[in-house]
Amino acid sequence: MKNTKAIYAFFAGAAIGAALAILYAPEKGEDLRSKIADLKSDYLGSLKDKVNQFIGKTSDSTNSDTDNANQPV
C-alpha cells in the first residue's frame, strides 16, 4: 500500500513536470534569458532596497541606544 502511494506520487509529479515543460518550452531561448535577466535585475534592486532599509533602521536603533547609554545615571 505504501509503495503504491509512492508510485502514484512519482507519476503525478512526472505528469505535472511534463505539463510545465510543455507550457514553458515554446519560448525562444533568447527571450527566456532576457526575461530571467530582467527578473534578476528587479529582484536584486528590491533586495538592495530592503537591505538598505534594514541597515538604516539598525543604524538608527544603534545610535539611539548609544545616546541612551551615554546619559548619566
Side-chain angles (χ1 to χ4, degrees):
M1 186 71 161
K2 194 174 191 179
N3 290 335
T4 305
K5 288 182 182 181
I7 292 171
Y8 286 135
F10 173 79
F11 283 115
I16 292 170
L20 288 173
I22 290 170
L23 288 174
Y24 288 107
E27 194 166 2
K28 289 183 179 178
E30 184 177 329
D31 295 339
L32 183 60
R33 287 189 296 273
S34 175
K35 186 186 289 186
I36 290 171
D38 291 342
L39 288 172
K40 181 186 82 166
S41 176
D42 292 344
Y43 177 75
L44 288 177
S46 175
L47 183 62
K48 281 183 180 180
D49 291 342
K50 289 180 181 182
V51 167
N52 287 333
Q53 287 176 357
F54 176 76
I55 289 171
K57 288 179 183 178
T58 304
S59 175
D60 292 343
S61 176
T62 303
N63 289 338
S64 175
D65 292 343
T66 303
D67 291 343
N68 290 338
N70 289 333
Q71 300 268 335
V73 178

